[in-house]
Amino acid sequence: MILKKCLLLFFLGANALQDLRKREILLLPTVLYGFCTLWLVLLTMGEPGELLLSLLPGVLLLLLSVATAGAVGLGDVWITLILGLQLGLLGTMELLSLTGVLLLIVAVLPCNRGKGKELPLVPFLFLALLLQPLF
């Protein structure tokens, strides 16, 4: 369990840095990590319904991405799908809720006011994962 959390922190941390710098994720490592996670989940998961439910937040984010013409990036969708596989539905929803609170706090700061200010999602997911044990 600790190894799984450390790997997830490393994965999100690397993508958070990339997202802050270039507004993109590390595609090849993300796809490889996603396939490894899927493989492990398929080996250990009990019911197929659990797998489908765990993907629900990522699928909803994909629909939001399509509805907003890409305002939510597909990299965010990929990472949310992977989080769903690794944390399950409830764990992912908890993490996304804390991420939303962090984004809201930063969005209302005076330095972030103005039209067109975009906030990258992955760094906030990383921060939320670090802070999650405190809540």
Side-chain angles (χ1 to χ4, degrees), residues 119-134:
L119 294 172
L121 180 65
V122 182
F124 289 93
L125 285 168
F126 176 68
L127 184 58
L129 189 64
L130 286 173
L131 296 174
Q132 196 174 27
L134 302 175

Side-chain angles (χ1 to χ4, degrees), residues 86-107:
Q86 208 159 21
L87 302 175
L89 177 62
L90 293 178
T92 304
M93 294 306 293
E94 287 174 8
L95 186 67
L96 288 172
S97 298
L98 182 54
T99 301
V101 169
L102 294 171
L103 278 165
L104 183 62
I105 290 169
V106 171

Side-chain angles (χ1 to χ4, degrees), residues 54-75:
S54 71
L55 297 174
L56 187 61
V59 171
L60 292 175
L61 203 60
L62 175 62
L63 293 174
L64 184 62
S65 177
V66 170
T68 61
V72 176
L74 290 178

